[in-house]
Amino acid sequence: MNDPSDRPSWDAYFMDIAKLVAKRSTCTRRGVGAILVKNKQILASGYNGAPTRVRHCAETGCLREQLKVPSGERHELCRGIHAEQNAIIQAALHGVSIKGAVLYCTNLPCSICAKMIINAGITQIVYLSGYADSMSEEMLKEASVDLIKFNPVSEGDNHEMSVLQ
């Protein structure tokens, strides 16, 4: 049996799952994973990639890469759906309410995802890495969505959380 002190916190547990979900990504630029959690239960998950029944960027090539579009700009030129969008869509597809849920995501959401998150009633985002989209942070702050940067301190469960306000 494992030592109870080795048991991960809920935040570490859910972030580890989001990182695992990111491994399903079909984006050639950045793999992102997201899970929606409420009352310590996973409601839905999503990773970034092309829509169902549409060829993946690994097959077609990345238009954003070909045009040298910087990260965080011109989202409409991507054939993929972001991880956060896919998690929200999966919840809607299966009739799962995500109002009041927490989003665990490997990256800070972009401004398009932020708008969806706000209107979906998600109240908190725990993320691992930043993203080049300052409008996202501004809108989430204005809408009172808590942003928490997950900072793993070591390989184990010891970590720090910093709330951005």
Side-chain angles (χ1 to χ4, degrees), residues 5-22:
S5 65
D6 290 338
R7 191 172 186 206
S9 69
W10 285 109
D11 287 321
Y13 172 72
F14 291 130
M15 189 57 74
D16 283 347
I17 293 171
K19 289 191 284 187
L20 182 62
V21 170

Side-chain angles (χ1 to χ4, degrees), residues 125-146:
I125 299 168
V126 179
Y127 68 97
L128 194 57
S129 300
Y131 190 70
D133 189 341
S134 59
M135 186 194 297
S136 169
E137 276 188 70
E138 293 166 14
M139 285 192 301
L140 291 165
K141 182 179 178 182
E142 184 178 341
S144 298
V145 175
D146 293 329

Side-chain angles (χ1 to χ4, degrees), residues 73-161:
E73 296 179 16
R74 303 288 314 270
H75 298 288
E76 75 279 5
L77 295 176
C78 180
R79 63 190 288 113
I81 299 173
H82 289 187
E84 307 91 323
Q85 295 169 343
N86 266 327
I88 292 168
I89 291 165
Q90 285 303 308
L93 188 65
H94 297 288
V96 176
S97 173
I98 56 174
K99 184 177 183 179
V102 176
L103 174 74
Y104 286 84
C105 195
T106 57
N107 287 87
L108 179 68
C110 73
S111 57
I112 295 169
C113 290
K115 291 182 255 185
M116 292 178 70
I117 287 163
I118 292 164
N119 278 1
I122 295 166
T123 57
Q124 186 178 80
I125 299 168
V126 179
Y127 68 97
L128 194 57
S129 300
Y131 190 70
D133 189 341
S134 59
M135 186 194 297
S136 169
E137 276 188 70
E138 293 166 14
M139 285 192 301
L140 291 165
K141 182 179 178 182
E142 184 178 341
S144 298
V145 175
D146 293 329
L147 283 178
I148 300 173
K149 180 156 178 33
F150 182 83
N151 294 313
V153 174
S154 68
E155 287 292 316
D157 179 45
N158 297 329
H159 65 277
E160 298 173 356
M161 303 284 275

